Amino acid sequence: MSSHSLNDSQPIARVMVAGTGVLGAQIAFQCAFSGVDVVTYDVDTGCLERANTRFDQLGHIYAVELGATRAQIEAARARIVGNINLGSAAAHADLVLEAIPEDLATKQSFYRALSACAPAATIFATNSSTLVPSQLVSVTDRPERLLTLHFAHDVWKHNIAEIMGHAGTDPAVFGRVVQFSRRIGMVPLPLRKEQPGYLLNTMLIPMLLAALGLLVNDVADIQTIDKAWMVAKGDCIGPFGILDGIGMTTVYNVTRALAERTGDSTHRRIAEYVKTHFIETGNLGESTGRGFYRYPDPDFLDPAFVSA
Ligand code: NAD
């Protein structure tokens, strides 16, 4: 089918957001706040209920940080509908924004199921931090309509959108997604080719891994490592504060996959550290109130330091 018959000159008006965790909830709320109709999809109703709590928190943040009015926040909430049935959730979506866990097998099985039920015109965009779209091509029925739209944590203020296709992505689809990202208040950053980690994470992940390496190799404690970055760079957040914001599920998935790939002993110790200190204790970072720091009011230069 040609891209024209699929109306790729039309703006994207309706999206489905798959996965309503840390990033999915932020993406859904930002889209709705920008006037886009959103269906959120997750594995069970408990997840969608937790997403409602996240939307409450985001409403408060948008009021405080962006000066959003009660009417704007209520209108955004009214544009979001939750659905745990994939077929009906995707039925009217121009675009699926996928923010499910950073695990290739999980994503592949999701795209297989989505391909079987989404309308032919629906564009698939993954928010994956480390995968590239060509790793998902074989499990979709529409390679030309597959690409990434990658957001940064705290989408309302760190508002970049990294847009990356694979060799077979239709340029009209790519352009439409660039346009959409602008519409929802993002600064579009189009990439010319596939790059694992895109632009930001290609720079950021080595820094975060270096900080974790300093910790697990017992070179210095968390506060000292963060201070080195913050004081010297004049930054208001250090690597461990950034990791808390990302959330330990994603941090664990990324570090475990890295350790498996490289076999490096520091990478293995990092993944083990994240697992025992955070995954097994349920302290998953800022969103759960505890990670490397306590929340909601961490004082990064004098933190209530929780990890021994
Ligand atoms: P998360 O663990 O907070 O949330 C994942 C959500 O997906 C959960 O609500 C879970 O119930 C749901 N889920 C699991 N399996 C599913 C399935 N088969 N179908 C639908 N929903 C499913 O994860 P996150 O941190 O929001 O990360 C999601 C994606 O976004 C990952 O690919 C990650 O790399 C990427 N990302 C994360 C960040 C970040 O800072 N956390 C930033 C940019 C991109």
Side-chain angles (χ1 to χ4, degrees):
M1 206 179 296
S2 83
S3 52
H4 288 298
S5 64
L6 293 174
N7 273 330
D8 282 325
S9 52
Q10 297 297 308
I12 288 164
R14 290 179 293 197
V15 303
M16 173 187 130
V17 176
T20 55
V22 175
L23 250 283
Q26 293 183 14
I27 295 165
F29 197 82
Q30 179 68 22
C31 288
F33 188 73
S34 310
V36 174
D37 289 330
V38 179
V39 177
T40 50
Y41 165 76
D42 212 307
V43 287
D44 58 40
T45 50
C47 292
L48 293 180
E49 275 158 26
R50 278 192 290 284
N52 282 332
T53 310
R54 291 178 195 272
F55 297 144
D56 288 341
Q57 291 162 348
L58 288 167
H60 180 70
I61 290 169
Y62 278 50
V64 171
E65 295 190 16
L66 303 182
T69 63
R70 182 186 286 267
Q72 284 175 311
I73 292 163
E74 282 172 4
R77 289 296 298 266
R79 283 188 202 104
I80 304 175
V81 177
N83 190 337
I84 56 166
N85 179 292
L86 185 57
S88 57
H92 302 289
D94 299 321
L95 170 68
V96 169
L97 293 165
E98 171 267 306
I100 71 172
E102 190 68 359
D103 173 71
L104 181 58
T106 306
K107 292 208 195 264
Q108 286 178 327
S109 114
F110 170 78
Y111 279 105
R112 267 192 210 100
L114 181 67
S115 294
C117 62
T122 305
I123 298 168
F124 297 170
T126 178
N127 185 47
S128 170
S129 299
T130 57
L131 304 173
V132 293
S134 54
Q135 289 175 275
L136 298 168
V137 161
S138 66
V139 290
T140 73
D141 61 341
R142 61 197 75 195
E144 71 289 353
R145 306 185 79 70
L146 171 71
L147 74 175
T148 65
L149 176 50
H150 182 247
F151 296 84
H153 189 264
D154 292 352
V155 299
W156 63 95
K157 60 180 175 187
H158 302 149
N159 56 332
I160 59 166
E162 296 178 288
I163 300 133
M164 181 171 79
H166 61 95
T169 304
D170 183 338
V173 168
F174 190 95
R176 207 169 157 211
V177 172
V178 169
Q179 224 177 37
F180 170 75
S181 70
R182 235 181 241 119
R183 177 181 172 194
I184 60 166
M186 299 295 113
V187 174
L189 304 175
L191 275 71
R192 294 185 181 143
K193 53 161 86 162
E194 287 194 331
Q195 162 71 23
Y198 312 82
L199 305 177
L200 177 63
N201 281 341
T202 297
M203 300 183 273
L204 183 63
I205 289 179
M207 186 277 262
L208 296 176
L209 283 171
L212 285 162
L214 291 170
L215 178 69
V216 300
N217 288 325
D218 203 24
V219 177
D221 64 28
I222 290 167
Q223 287 166 293
T224 308
I225 299 166
D226 264 4
K227 278 184 195 168
W229 186 268
M230 292 160 70
V231 176
K233 304 307 295 173
D235 223 337
C236 61
I237 189 166
F240 293 106
I242 294 172
L243 288 163
D244 276 352
I246 291 169
M248 294 305 159
T249 310
T250 294
V251 173
Y252 179 60
N253 285 334
V254 171
T255 55
R256 189 197 49 188
L258 183 72
E260 279 166 11
R261 200 167 67 242
T262 65
D264 179 271
S265 65
T266 297
H267 292 160
R268 272 207 313 274
R269 281 208 298 286
I270 291 172
E272 193 53 35
Y273 182 95
V274 175
K275 185 173 168 220
T276 48
H277 283 77
F278 302 111
I279 303 298
E280 287 171 358
T281 61
N283 293 324
L284 300 181
E286 195 179 329
S287 65
T288 60
R290 276 179 88 157
F292 289 104
Y293 295 91
R294 286 182 199 278
Y295 294 85
D297 292 313
D299 177 342
F300 284 104
L301 283 176
D302 187 14
F305 174 54
V306 294
S307 292

